[in-house]
C-alpha cells in the first residue's frame, strides 16, 4: 500500500543557531505541522528564552529560571471577565512575594 503525497506526514525543519564563547553549533528543531495555542505559546517561550540566553552568554552571566512550566488558558466571554483578568495581570507582579507556591 502506497500513500500519495497528500497523505504522507511531513515535517518542517526550522534552523536554530546557538553560539557560545567556545564553540559554535547549529541545531535543527522539527516544527509542528499544525498550529494551536500551545504551539504558539511554546514557540514564543522558546524564542524569548534563546534570546535571553544569548544576552546572558554575551555578558558572561548566569540566567535564572525564565518561565513557569505551564500556563492557564481561559476563554474571555464578556467585558466583565476581561476587566477582571486585566486587573489580575496588572496586580500580579506585586503579589509574587506572597506566592506560597513560588519556586526558589
Amino acid at each position: 500500500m502506497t500513500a500519495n503525497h497528500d497523505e504522507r506526514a511531513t515535517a518542517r525543519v526550522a534552523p536554530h543557531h546557538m553560539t557560545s564563547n567556545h564553540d559554535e553549533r547549529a541545531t535543527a528543531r522539527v516544527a509542528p505541522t499544525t498550529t494551536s495555542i500551545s504551539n504558539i505559546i511554546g514557540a514564543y517561550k522558546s524564542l524569548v528564552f534563546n534570546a535571553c540566553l544569548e544576552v546572558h552568554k554575551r555578558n558572561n552571566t548566569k540566567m535564572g529560571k525564565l518561565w513557569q512550566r505551564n500556563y492557564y488558558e481561559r476563554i474571555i466571554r464578556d467585558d466583565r471577565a476581561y476587566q477582571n483578568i486585566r486587573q489580575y495581570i496588572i496586580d500580579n507582579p506585586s503579589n509574587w512575594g506572597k506566592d506560597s507556591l513560588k519556586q526558589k
Side-chain angles (χ1 to χ4, degrees), residues 46-71:
S46 177
L47 289 170
V48 172
F49 176 84
N50 286 316
C52 290
L53 185 60
E54 284 187 29
V55 169
H56 283 278
K57 284 183 175 184
R58 204 172 346 178
N59 295 327
N60 200 25
T61 58
K62 184 178 177 181
M63 186 171 90
K65 187 171 175 139
L66 186 61
W67 299 108
Q68 290 181 334
R69 188 161 184 228
N70 293 314
Y71 63 94

Side-chain angles (χ1 to χ4, degrees), residues 79-97:
D79 190 57
R80 182 176 173 205
Y82 170 76
Q83 293 302 330
N84 287 339
I85 292 168
R86 182 178 180 276
Q87 194 61 48
Y88 171 82
I89 292 169
I90 291 169
D91 294 342
N92 193 36
S94 64
N95 293 323
W96 289 349

Side-chain angles (χ1 to χ4, degrees), residues 15-28 53-54 57:
H16 175 69
H17 300 284
M18 191 158 106
T19 61
S20 70
N21 295 339
H22 301 292
D23 67 335
E24 186 169 325
R25 59 194 158 177
T27 60
L53 185 60
E54 284 187 29
K57 284 183 175 184

